[in-house]
Amino acid sequence: MFFMELTYKKPISVVEATLPLHNQYLDRNYKLGNFIFSGRKDPRNGGVILANVADLKDLENIYHEDPFFRQGIADYKILNFTPTKMNDVFAQIPLR
């Protein structure tokens, strides 16, 4: 699994203008089973995404499609981890 932290590099007005395309990107990856959760950071200077993909190359291919990445709106910090303890809800998610 991968935890992605996005940090905005552009003004919030640019983020807001691109948000509909970013949400389409998120929706597509939820349907494909690539994303488990996502949301804004507080304060609103970026966001986070928990991704369930096989390897870093797969993740790079996925986030390189994000309009926030393509338009240089956000930087991406990637943390690769292996879940070892979880609640019952997360235990139902098959790891890739």
Side-chain angles (χ1 to χ4, degrees), residues 54-67:
D55 57 43
L56 183 57
K57 185 65 179 161
D58 288 343
L59 182 66
E60 288 172 345
N61 290 334
I62 290 167
Y63 81 77
H64 287 179
E65 295 176 358
D66 186 354

Side-chain angles (χ1 to χ4, degrees), residues 1-4 36 49-51 79-85 95:
M1 276 196 180
F2 296 89
F3 186 78
M4 295 191 289
I36 296 171
I49 302 170
L50 180 63
L79 176 68
N80 185 351
F81 73 100
T82 303
T84 54
K85 283 187 131 270
L95 299 179

Side-chain angles (χ1 to χ4, degrees), residues 30-72:
Y30 277 111
K31 286 178 186 168
L32 293 171
N34 294 330
F35 293 167
I36 296 171
F37 67 71
S38 59
R40 297 175 179 168
K41 294 193 298 187
D42 187 10
R44 191 174 177 196
N45 62 1
V48 297
I49 302 170
L50 180 63
N52 186 18
V53 298
D55 57 43
L56 183 57
K57 185 65 179 161
D58 288 343
L59 182 66
E60 288 172 345
N61 290 334
I62 290 167
Y63 81 77
H64 287 179
E65 295 176 358
D66 186 354
F68 283 178
F69 179 84
R70 290 180 174 248
Q71 297 180 32

